[in-house]
Amino acid sequence: MTIQRKAVSLISGGLDSMLATQAMLDQGIHVEGINFYTGFCVEGHTHAIRKQDKAKPKRNNALWVAEQLGIKLHIIDVIEEYKDVVINPSHGYGSNLNPCLDCKCFMVKKAHQWMDENGFDFIITGEVVGQRPMSQRRDTMPVIQRESGAEDRLLRPLCAKILPETLPEREGWVNREALFAFNGRGRRPQIALAGQMGIADFAQPAGGCCFLTDAAYSNKLADLWTTRGERIYELDDIMLLKVGRHLRPRPHFKLIVGREEGENRFLEGYRKQFTHIIPVSHLGPLVLIDGDLNTGDLEIAARLAARYGQGKNEASVRLEAHIKDGDNFEMDVRPYQVDEIPVEWHL
Amino acid sequence: MTHHKLDARNILCPLPVIRTQNLVLTLPPGDTLDVSCTDPGALCDIPAWCRINGHTIVEARVTNPDTNEVLISIRVGKK
């Protein structure tokens, strides 16, 4: 009797993992998907927060891909475990605070654990040799196999023919000849294969799927670590870095200024945790203050808050300050003019 | 059969899906679960997760447009 072989597929929601999974399904392999939530995933968050993005589909692309392929998807919360990957990457960062190689090692390792716990036979990914400058290079792909512990149970169907044979191929669970030899950054082979497989709709994420590859986001995270004096974070910290305009007028405090209604609504959920300022005399943003205020700091914060409201050109604007675990009071301030705000205050 | 409730408000997708998934895994077939969320993406994501994992969506609706609050009712299927 033939044994039904089972593979767990790392599903990002993009085209490559979709194609790799479909290639296995076409060979009669039972495939289930796995998707890891690190807290830095671009997926969904900003769309959910920002009102101007309401026209965009709110779908989670990994779930959508799984449904298109007709496979189960297991979404795993790795927020806590992932901190060590971000804070102490043994292979270093990419051009920003993106620890791509450590990240891939971590995810394949987690998938390998899941494989063992659930009686699956091997792991597949949508990796392509040369596709990414850090984690998908000919010299780093073996590192992932080795450091994850997956070794030759890690199969990359899209470029398998230009890599050493893996266990599923050697054992005949998978026909190596029916796999692919994609190489490089070009997307044409994948687009063509999608056409052959009848896949017409797929996500084309702009700028990657992780906030850590974003320079502005990484700068804000670096600022957080610098001003706190240690490289730590909680989920709320990294969520708030995705939202609003961040200004740091003094080393010991910064402002998070909502840029539109959706962001203001999101920031409202944090009011109890932060000293904050709300507009009174004019429409304006909710402003959270992260840090401890010294004498005179609240006026700086209020003048900045007034700058981003509709009274920005008035001589005086009334705001209400809510001190964390303290009093609420109204204050009248002169809004900063644009040339009074040093560029270096903007994070 | 038991009815359960899950408060997944004030967290963003995919966390409401993950919380739903992790609770459903502990429930027997036939039990029902109401999930409250404030991320409107949950209206798409939780039903998608249910469809691919064999659970039934009894109802999915916006309950408060001002706060984006949505309610998704699920009947647990066979695992």
Side-chain angles (χ1 to χ4, degrees), chain A residues 221-232:
Chain A
L221 181 57
D223 167 78
L224 184 89
W225 286 344
T226 301
T227 53
R228 286 190 178 170
E230 53 184 336
R231 292 156 64 88
I232 56 169

Side-chain angles (χ1 to χ4, degrees), chain A residues 73-335:
Chain A
L73 180 73
H74 310 276
I75 307 180
I76 314 288
D77 173 352
V78 293
I79 293 166
E80 284 302 315
E81 293 170 86
Y82 195 73
K83 287 178 179 175
D84 191 50
V85 176
V86 178
I87 294 169
N88 302 303
S90 58
H91 297 286
Y93 298 109
S95 52
N96 297 300
L97 288 176
N98 47 311
C100 293
L101 183 52
D102 288 84
C103 175
K104 186 51 74 89
C105 291
F106 170 84
M107 290 190 177
V108 175
K109 184 178 182 179
K110 293 293 294 179
H112 187 229
Q113 288 171 358
W114 190 95
M115 180 195 91
D116 283 342
E117 290 164 6
N118 291 277
F120 278 55
D121 300 296
F122 61 103
I123 303 157
I124 58 171
T125 71
E127 291 168 288
V128 169
V129 175
Q131 181 85 198
R132 301 269 181 201
M134 202 172 179
S135 61
Q136 296 185 43
R137 292 197 322 244
R138 187 176 289 278
D139 61 324
T140 57
M141 289 171 87
V143 173
I144 297 166
Q145 286 178 281
R146 190 173 59 246
E147 293 194 2
S148 67
E151 302 289 356
D152 63 355
R153 285 183 186 263
L154 174 58
L155 173 65
R156 288 112 164 184
L158 299 186
C159 58
K161 286 167 89 170
I162 55 173
L163 292 175
E165 211 171 35
T166 60
L167 182 74
E169 297 161 281
R170 239 181 3 258
E171 294 294 320
W173 304 341
V174 167
N175 176 11
R176 180 176 172 91
E177 290 311 305
L179 300 179
F180 305 94
F182 297 170
N183 185 7
R185 295 180 67 87
R187 304 291 295 157
R188 282 187 187 167
Q190 285 94 322
I191 305 288
L193 181 59
Q196 290 167 28
M197 289 177 165
I199 297 170
D201 187 8
F202 46 86
Q204 299 189 66
C209 59
C210 175
F211 269 103
L212 293 169
T213 62
D214 180 80
Y217 186 89
S218 290
N219 287 341
K220 285 186 276 189
L221 181 57
D223 167 78
L224 184 89
W225 286 344
T226 301
T227 53
R228 286 190 178 170
E230 53 184 336
R231 292 156 64 88
I232 56 169
Y233 66 83
E234 297 300 329
L235 179 61
D236 281 341
D237 295 323
I238 61 174
M239 296 301 289
L240 284 169
L241 295 182
K242 299 173 185 178
V243 182
R245 183 180 278 114
H246 290 234
L247 297 108
R248 184 175 291 286
R250 297 288 182 270
H252 52 278
F253 79 96
K254 75 169 180 178
L255 273 60
I256 305 172
V257 184
R259 289 174 293 192
E260 43 85 276
E261 187 185 332
E263 289 193 341
N264 285 334
R265 183 180 286 169
F266 180 78
L267 293 176
E268 278 177 13
Y270 289 91
R271 280 185 306 177
K272 289 182 182 169
Q273 299 172 46
F274 292 90
T275 291
H276 58 278
I277 296 171
I278 57 174
V280 175
S281 60
H282 299 77
L283 290 176
L286 170 66
V287 176
L288 301 184
I289 302 172
D290 184 11
D292 297 319
L293 300 176
N294 298 333
T295 306
D297 290 342
L298 188 59
E299 185 177 351
I300 295 172
R303 292 185 64 196
L304 278 168
R307 170 69 208 161
Y308 294 102
Q310 291 188 2
K312 63 184 178 185
N313 295 320
E314 302 293 334
S316 180
V317 167
R318 177 160 291 186
L319 303 153
E320 190 171 75
H322 293 242
I323 307 300
K324 183 188 171 191
D325 302 326
D327 295 334
N328 307 337
F329 52 87
E330 291 191 352
M331 53 195 299
D332 296 300
V333 295
R334 181 177 69 81

Side-chain angles (χ1 to χ4, degrees), chain A residues 35 37 41 43-46 48-49 54 58-61 63-64 66-68 70-77 79 235 239 265-266 269-270, chain B residues 10-15 17-19 21-22 25 38-42 44-54 65-68 78-79:
Chain A
N35 175 267
Y37 179 61
C41 309
E43 189 73 65
H45 284 123
T46 45
I49 297 167
K54 281 204 183 302
K58 301 288 188 300
R59 76 184 186 199
N60 175 300
N61 282 319
L63 278 168
W64 181 83
E67 190 166 20
Q68 299 308 300
I71 64 168
K72 287 189 174 182
L73 180 73
H74 310 276
I75 307 180
I76 314 288
D77 173 352
I79 293 166
L235 179 61
M239 296 301 289
R265 183 180 286 169
F266 180 78
Y270 289 91
Chain B
N10 301 317
I11 54 175
L12 295 176
C13 281
L15 285 174
V17 183
I18 294 172
R19 301 270 169 91
Q21 167 190 266
N22 293 350
L25 284 173
T38 45
D39 180 349
C44 177
D45 293 347
I46 292 177
W49 181 84
C50 288
R51 287 194 297 272
I52 63 179
N53 288 286
D66 292 335
T67 58
N68 279 342
K78 290 179 183 170
K79 294 162 197 166

